[in-house]
């Protein structure tokens, strides 16, 4: 059983070939980061055009690396949403064209389902499961009582955590994407600045815009008072405040829910402090199956869409040439 998966929701064009639902034969990624860096963030119109340029070569590259040809493919999986609508359209059109011409099933996949199922690369998902989804567009606690059943039990009331990293980096004059840069600087920073703790009405919700404003106030105050802003120390303070907020919600959820697995998902799952704190949970909850994706699988790529797509197909989820990209599709729709 060979599945060809496509992901194009943001600034990475990716195609993967998955064998028997679990073995990643290839995972080709054409990243646009170097181009978007010039704009300080993803420029949607430029992203769509680059997906158009990259999609065919990426598909060919994935087939070549897996040493298979199109006629061997049994199903196509594609990210239907959420994401940038122009970017999503490119992947969905390519997937529909392939499914139609090869006469094979077309499986629409939710981008976040893909991030969650990336954990299958490191172990078995045991249900009920709690996922902490942390990316540039999402910050959510997702409860799954069984395979491919998603319930969002907590979410950000404003910015996503990755978005907050990117915005704080911009106000500190650092490059895009800000997450990896702040993560690196924080490692050499000291606990020199204090940032406020965030309160939300729902104890499982998140909020990051206050933290971002607090960083702005902090830098303005230091400048006003004629002190040099120590960027590493600001990065340290922000990283610790952001990760404390994430982990306090996780701990609350784990203390009230009876789950067998806890998994980390999304681009911010690459963050060194988040990974360390998730690792630390193993001591607090020794019975819990705790997984985090390998670093390469935290970023957007098609392998995760293939892994989720295989499960979706088993659940009878299948689209046809009528499906279209949906930039706001909800997780529970599946
Ligand atoms: O999942 P992803 O690749 O794209 C979305 O689906 O949004 O996540 C991208 C986000 C960006 O905001 C980026 O700054 C953040 O993930 N990110 C990080 C790290 N690596 C990537 N944030 C914090 N620490 C990192 N090491
Ligand atoms: Zn993502």
């Amino acid at each position: 059983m060979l599945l060809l998966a496509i992901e194009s929701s943001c600034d990475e064009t990716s195609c993967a070939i998955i064998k028997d639902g679990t073995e990643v034969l290839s995972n080709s990624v054409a990243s646009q980061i170097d181009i978007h860096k010039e704009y300080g963030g993803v420029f949607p119109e430029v992203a769509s055009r680059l997906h158009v340029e990259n999609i065919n070569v990426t598909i060919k590259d994935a087939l070549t690396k897996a040493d298979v040809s199109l006629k061997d493919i049994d199903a196509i999986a594609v990210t239907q949403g959420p994401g940038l609508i122009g970017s999503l359209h490119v992947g969905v059109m390519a997937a529909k064209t392939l499914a139609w011409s090869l006469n094979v099933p077309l499986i629409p996949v939710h981008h976040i389902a893909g991030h969650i199922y990336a954990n299958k690369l490191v172990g078995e998902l045991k249900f009920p499961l709690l996922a902490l989804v942390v990316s540039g567009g999402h910050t959510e606690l997702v409860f799954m009582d069984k395979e491919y059943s998603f319930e969002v039990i907590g979410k950000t009331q404003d910015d996503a955590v990755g978005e907050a990293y990117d915005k704080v980096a911009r106000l500190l004059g650092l490059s895009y994407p800000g997450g990896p840069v702040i993560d690196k600087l924080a490692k050499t920073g000291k606990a020199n600045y204090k940032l406020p703790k965030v309160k939300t009405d729902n104890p499982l919700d998140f909020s990051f815009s206050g933290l971002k404003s607090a960083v702005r106030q902090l830098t303005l105050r230091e400048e006003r008072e004629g002190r040099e802003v120590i960027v590493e120390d600001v990065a340290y303070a922000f990283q610790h405040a952001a990760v404390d907020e994430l982990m306090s919600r996780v701990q609350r959820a784990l203390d009230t829910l009876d789950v067998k697995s806890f998994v980390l998902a999304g681009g911010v799952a690459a963050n060194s402090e988040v990974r360390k704190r998730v690792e630390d949970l193993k001591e607090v909850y020794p019975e819990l199956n705790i997984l985090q994706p390998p670093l390469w699988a935290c970023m957007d790529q098609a392998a995760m869409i293939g892994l989720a797509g295989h499960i979706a197909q088993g659940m009878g989820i299948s689209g046809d040439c009528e499906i279209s990209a949906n930039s706001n599709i909800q997780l529970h729709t599946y």
Side-chain angles (χ1 to χ4, degrees):
M1 162 75 193
L2 286 179
L3 189 148
L4 183 150
I6 294 175
E7 150 69 35
S8 69
S9 64
C10 190
D11 57 349
E12 262 98 25
T13 321
S14 179
C15 179
I17 310 291
I18 311 290
K19 188 178 169 194
D20 298 332
T22 50
E23 198 185 333
V24 181
L25 296 187
S26 65
N27 183 48
S28 299
V29 185
S31 175
Q32 309 175 358
I33 282 188
D34 287 344
I35 290 154
H36 295 296
K37 256 190 182 138
E38 290 174 30
Y39 304 101
V42 178
F43 197 133
E45 181 58 29
V46 173
S48 325
R49 283 161 186 256
L50 291 171
H51 283 304
V52 171
E53 278 177 28
N54 292 338
I55 190 86
N56 284 354
V57 269
T58 309
I59 294 171
K60 271 193 186 159
D61 188 56
L63 289 164
T64 307
K65 285 186 177 140
D67 197 19
V68 299
S69 69
L70 270 182
K71 65 174 171 27
D72 304 320
I73 301 298
D74 300 297
I76 309 286
V78 65
T79 307
Q80 186 180 18
L84 301 170
I85 191 67
S87 295
L88 289 164
H89 269 312
V90 179
V92 170
M93 283 307 295
K96 279 161 74 168
T97 308
L98 284 172
W100 179 76
S101 60
L102 299 172
N103 195 23
V104 296
L106 174 65
I107 308 148
V109 176
H110 192 286
H111 182 76
I112 297 303
H115 274 304
I116 293 173
Y117 275 93
N119 284 286
K120 279 191 79 103
L121 291 162
V122 286
E124 191 195 342
L125 306 190
K126 295 178 188 149
F127 299 94
L129 173 152
L130 177 73
L132 173 66
V133 178
V134 279
S135 75
H138 294 257
T139 302
E140 292 168 355
L141 282 169
V142 179
F143 175 73
M144 297 174 71
D145 62 342
K146 55 182 188 301
E147 195 90 273
Y148 229 73
S149 151
F150 308 94
E151 187 191 348
V152 177
I153 57 167
K155 60 179 186 309
T156 182
Q157 296 174 346
D158 37 63
D159 292 349
V161 62
E163 186 183 356
Y165 264 93
D166 296 338
K167 286 179 176 170
V168 166
R170 196 179 306 167
L171 73 89
L172 292 175
L174 306 169
S175 66
Y176 173 85
V181 185
I182 292 189
D183 190 7
K184 193 165 170 221
L185 287 171
K187 285 181 190 153
T188 55
K190 293 186 189 65
N192 197 17
Y193 301 117
K194 241 186 141 43
L195 290 170
K197 276 208 179 333
V198 182
K199 285 206 182 74
T200 49
D201 292 340
N202 172 357
L204 299 183
D205 277 351
F206 307 86
S207 167
F208 291 98
S209 71
L211 200 51
K212 176 193 65 193
S213 305
V215 173
R216 185 180 295 117
Q217 297 307 326
L218 170 88
T219 56
L220 289 175
R221 187 194 65 211
E222 293 299 286
E223 280 163 13
R224 205 172 44 238
E225 294 179 7
R227 286 191 291 265
E228 187 199 345
V229 176
I230 306 162
V231 178
E232 290 84 353
D233 294 355
V234 179
Y236 179 97
F238 172 74
Q239 170 130 309
H240 281 260
V243 178
D244 279 352
E245 181 172 339
L246 294 173
M247 297 315 290
S248 68
R249 272 53 167 185
V250 166
Q251 200 121 7
R252 268 181 212 153
L254 288 176
D255 287 341
T256 49
L257 297 167
D258 192 14
V259 291
K260 291 212 172 91
S261 308
F262 171 71
V263 308
L264 187 60
V268 185
N271 183 272
S272 62
E273 185 62 21
V274 179
R275 294 181 82 83
K276 180 182 157 295
R277 297 280 295 271
V278 168
E279 210 45 42
D280 292 347
L281 287 179
K282 290 184 179 168
E283 283 197 12
V284 189
Y285 305 96
E287 305 292 311
L288 197 60
N289 174 38
I290 298 177
L291 305 174
Q292 25 190 335
L295 283 178
W296 68 266
C298 295
M299 62 180 278
D300 290 348
Q301 29 69 35
M304 67 182 194
I305 302 303
L307 296 170
H310 172 76
I311 304 291
Q313 192 181 17
M315 307 292 291
I317 296 169
S318 169
D320 57 24
C321 287
E322 301 293 308
I323 70 154
S324 52
N326 182 343
S327 58
N328 287 315
I329 196 158
Q330 301 298 308
L331 199 49
H332 59 75
T333 313
Y334 288 83

